[in-house]
């Protein structure tokens, strides 16, 4: 009875209604952020940084429940020599759910790839390097399969694509997949749930800061994002089109955290085996989001892969120690 009473009293404190995108813009869409209009009425949150004369920009795509901010460290390290384009996928960040004529469109990686091509078409970008983490990694290799003439190189960071069963799934994702629980998920969002989700994907939880938790929390509350996440998770079909991976024939860099509990590090070897000529780099002390957890360490092999001149990587993340990469 005491437990029920405490639960009843705490529910109002956990209530977290959706936030209109306008209330988040001042904090999360300052310059160089822009909102790009697409045909059909969809606005896409994008950032386009670095030399515009770069003929083959780097396009970075985030994973589930993340946003373009996950690439902040890599962008700082690359934008001095390369043009870097980032976007919030539909249902995430400040882009939010499909709207206008796009309403009802499936939240699936194959659609995300087509959506990304629409964004790049609107920006006038033809050739590019595709890079992505987790869901974004699947979107990246799907871009290479969908438009091979446009993707020059591929960077996969703990990428999805094969059929797998995760060893550890963030609590919020588990709730969002259950119809009744997903309705509660849209009404209540305890901040500790966000912390728990980050602990699941970080190799070292000590790297999780209050600022990081606040950003994930705020952007999850963006109007429509929680409902879109529930739809996406219910539509998930792991391994769909995985046979396409072995058809890829382009220079590919595979990066993986050795402590990834969401997508087993063994899949890094499978990508390496299926994509002829690819190269793999493991970060034994990092988790599912090595680019975010230690940007300076994880971007170093990217710079070599792209043939960029050596320079200090402190711009990527000077406040955190570098984690040695074990090359294999």
């Amino acid at each position: 009875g005491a437990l029920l009473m405490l639960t009843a009293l705490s529910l109002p404190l956990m209530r977290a209604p959706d936030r209109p995108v306008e209330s988040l813009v001042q904090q999360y869409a300052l310059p160089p952020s822009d909102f790009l209009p697409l045909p059909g009425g969809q606005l896409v949150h994008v950032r386009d940084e670095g030399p515009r004369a770069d003929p083959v920009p780097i396009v970075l795509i985030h994973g589930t429940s993340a946003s373009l901010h996950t690439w902040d460290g890599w962008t700082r390290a690359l934008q001095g020599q390369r043009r870097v384009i980032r976007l919030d996928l539909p249902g995430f960040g400040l882009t939010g759910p499909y709207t206008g004529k796009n309403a009802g469109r499936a939240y699936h990686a194959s659609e995300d790839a087509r959506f990304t091509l629409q964004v790049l078409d609107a920006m006038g970008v033809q050739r590019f390097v595709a890079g992505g983490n987790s869901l974004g990694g699947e979107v990246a290799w799907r871009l290479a399969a969908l438009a091979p003439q446009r993707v020059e190189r591929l960077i996969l960071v703990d990428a999805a694509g094969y059929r797998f069963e995760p060893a550890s799934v963030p609590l919020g994702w588990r709730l969002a997949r259950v119809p009744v629980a997903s309705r509660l998920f849209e009404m209540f969002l305890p901040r500790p749930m966000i912390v728990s989700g980050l602990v699941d994907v970080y190799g070292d939880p000590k790297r999780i800061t209050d600022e990081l938790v606040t950003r994930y929390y705020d952007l999850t509350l963006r109007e429509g994002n929680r409902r879109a996440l529930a739809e996406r998770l219910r539509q998930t079909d792991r391994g769909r089109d995985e046979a396409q991976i072995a058809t890829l024939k382009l220079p590919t860099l595979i990066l993986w955290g050795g402590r990834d509990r969401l997508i087993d590090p063994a899949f890094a070897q499978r990508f390496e085996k299926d994509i002829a000529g690819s190269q793999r780099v493991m970060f034994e002390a990092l988790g599912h989001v090595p680019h975010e957890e230690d940007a300076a360490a994880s971007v170093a092999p990217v710079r070599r892969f792209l043939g960029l001149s050596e320079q200090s990587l402190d711009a990527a993340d000077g406040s955190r120690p570098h984690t040695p990469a074990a090359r294999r």
Side-chain angles (χ1 to χ4, degrees):
L3 180 60
L4 289 173
M5 183 178 294
L6 286 172
T7 302
L9 290 173
S10 64
L11 281 177
L13 299 177
M14 294 188 292
R15 184 169 176 78
D18 278 353
R19 297 181 184 177
V21 65
E22 294 80 9
S23 69
L24 300 168
V25 165
Q26 188 170 0
Q27 186 168 0
Y28 298 108
L30 294 175
S33 278
D34 195 8
F35 284 88
L36 180 71
L38 293 184
Q42 187 79 44
L43 286 177
V44 187
H45 180 215
V46 299
R47 286 191 177 178
D48 186 354
E49 299 160 87
R52 294 300 179 92
D54 184 353
V56 186
I58 303 164
V59 179
L60 297 176
I61 308 162
H62 65 79
T64 303
S65 294
S67 66
L68 58 75
H69 300 87
T70 193
W71 301 107
D72 284 350
W74 274 29
T75 301
R76 285 192 294 269
L78 297 171
Q79 66 180 351
Q81 295 173 273
R82 295 297 299 267
R83 182 181 178 188
V84 182
I85 297 172
R86 301 177 272 166
L87 70 149
D88 285 342
L89 291 173
F92 300 120
L94 297 180
T95 293
Y98 282 123
T99 57
K101 293 182 180 179
N102 285 320
R105 193 168 170 177
Y107 291 101
H108 188 271
S110 58
E111 286 299 309
D112 293 329
R114 294 185 182 91
F115 181 87
T116 301
L117 285 178
Q118 286 182 293
V119 172
L120 295 174
D121 287 343
M123 299 177 75
V125 173
Q126 290 303 310
R127 292 276 290 172
F128 57 93
V129 174
N133 166 242
S134 194
L135 164 67
E138 180 174 353
V139 175
W141 67 252
R142 283 180 178 276
L143 284 168
L146 183 65
Q149 73 284 2
R150 298 181 65 173
V151 182
E152 183 181 86
R153 288 173 177 260
L154 188 60
I155 303 170
L156 303 178
V157 186
D158 295 69
Y162 297 106
R163 185 172 300 279
F164 73 98
E165 289 300 327
S168 178
V169 181
L171 176 60
W173 296 5
R174 281 181 274 160
L175 292 176
R177 294 188 68 172
V178 181
V180 175
S182 68
R183 294 298 299 162
L184 293 175
F185 178 63
E186 291 179 38
M187 299 168 60
F188 303 97
L189 186 64
R191 186 180 171 94
M193 185 181 292
I194 300 296
V195 176
S196 173
L198 288 170
V199 168
D200 279 332
V201 298
Y202 266 57
D204 181 3
K206 293 179 181 177
R207 295 174 180 269
I208 300 170
T209 64
D210 286 341
E211 180 183 7
L212 182 72
V213 174
T214 297
R215 187 185 78 212
Y216 272 89
Y217 182 77
D218 289 347
L219 294 178
T220 299
L221 293 179
R222 191 265 192 224
E223 188 175 16
N225 275 358
R226 282 177 286 181
R227 180 166 295 184
L229 175 61
E231 290 183 28
R232 180 181 290 271
L233 293 174
R234 286 195 290 268
Q235 294 169 9
T236 296
D237 183 11
R238 296 193 185 104
R240 175 176 164 185
D241 303 326
E242 63 179 31
Q244 292 184 7
I245 298 171
T247 69
L248 300 177
K249 302 182 185 305
L250 76 167
T252 300
L253 175 64
I254 301 159
L255 305 179
W256 220 276
R259 296 182 180 177
D260 190 339
R261 296 183 296 276
L262 189 62
I263 305 180
D264 193 286
F267 284 102
Q269 299 177 37
R270 187 165 175 186
F271 272 108
E272 183 182 30
K273 179 182 178 182
D274 280 351
I275 304 176
S278 61
Q279 52 184 291
R280 172 171 57 95
V281 178
M282 300 295 295
F283 301 96
E284 300 299 345
L286 301 180
H288 184 63
V289 287
H291 62 291
E292 181 176 285
E293 190 174 354
D294 193 337
S298 57
V299 80
V302 175
R303 293 183 59 82
R304 292 191 291 269
F305 178 65
L306 298 175
L308 300 182
S309 60
E310 293 296 327
Q311 67 178 32
S312 171
L313 298 178
D314 290 343
D317 194 351
S319 64
R320 293 175 180 166
H322 293 188
T323 303
R327 279 192 165 278
R328 294 182 183 177

